Amino acid sequence: GDLVDGVADVEHRQRELGHQALQPGQHLGLARGVQGGQGSQAQVTDSIISGGTIGASVTAESTLNLVNTSLTATNPDGIGLLSFAGTVHAQGGSITGAKGISIRRISAGDEGTLVLDGTQVTGQSGSAIELLNSTTATIDILNGTTLSGGNGTIIDVLDGSTATVNV
């Protein structure tokens, strides 16, 4: 659960990070435990997270709360936030990558939740938000949130996925 080789990895635990800076090549990962399937929870406040391939990843049954935090994937094919049907609440701050946010399904029945509240999401060459692998997700876009897709698409729903979008 600690910062090891630049990767903050939280499994079946709760964690609070504030005023942190994870540098390029690092990312924040939240995973559900192998035994019992319980998820993890993290609150990240006033921080900068910059990863190569992925800025942060969240598995099903895990929750990531971002408050005034900048989350970035720096690789040309990077994903700012990769959610495997987890729950993510972002208030303020920004999420940036070649693809801003990618929501995917690992197991049948997993449903993702994404709440963006005054957050700037940018897909530099891809969409701001994409859903893949027959994912079902609810997306709330609130209070001046901006979505920008470098491919001209803000929300891309692919591979038999379903998105309920509330604005």
Side-chain angles (χ1 to χ4, degrees):
D2 293 322
L3 190 61
V4 179
D5 293 330
V7 178
D9 198 9
V10 182
E11 184 174 314
H12 182 57
R13 298 187 189 143
Q14 292 185 1
R15 176 91 183 231
E16 277 192 43
L17 299 173
H19 306 285
Q20 299 290 315
L22 298 181
Q23 300 303 320
Q26 304 171 338
H27 77 276
L28 176 66
L30 300 179
R32 63 179 166 191
V34 176
Q35 296 179 346
Q38 293 181 327
S40 303
Q41 295 180 7
Q43 169 96 17
V44 183
T45 304
D46 298 325
S47 298
I48 298 170
I49 300 173
S50 181
T53 304
I54 301 168
S57 60
V58 181
T59 64
E61 299 181 29
S62 293
T63 300
L64 174 60
N65 293 307
L66 301 169
V67 179
N68 297 324
T69 293
S70 171
L71 184 60
T72 305
T74 58
N75 285 6
D77 60 348
I79 300 169
L81 171 67
L82 177 58
S83 174
F84 291 101
T87 298
V88 178
H89 297 263
Q91 180 180 357
S94 62
I95 301 171
T96 305
K99 297 176 182 176
I101 299 170
S102 183
I103 304 172
R104 304 173 184 189
R105 176 181 71 104
I106 294 178
S107 303
D110 289 344
E111 292 189 17
T113 300
L114 175 64
V115 179
L116 301 170
D117 186 352
T119 305
Q120 179 181 344
V121 179
T122 304
Q124 295 167 321
S125 58
S127 56
I129 302 170
E130 71 172 8
L131 281 78
L132 299 170
N133 303 344
S134 301
T135 296
T136 299
T138 299
I139 302 169
D140 293 337
I141 302 170
L142 310 171
N143 299 322
T145 291
T146 60
L147 304 177
S148 175
N151 64 356
T153 304
I154 57 172
I155 301 175
D156 217 354
V157 183
L158 306 167
D159 302 333
S161 297
T162 302
T164 301
V165 180
N166 302 306
V167 179

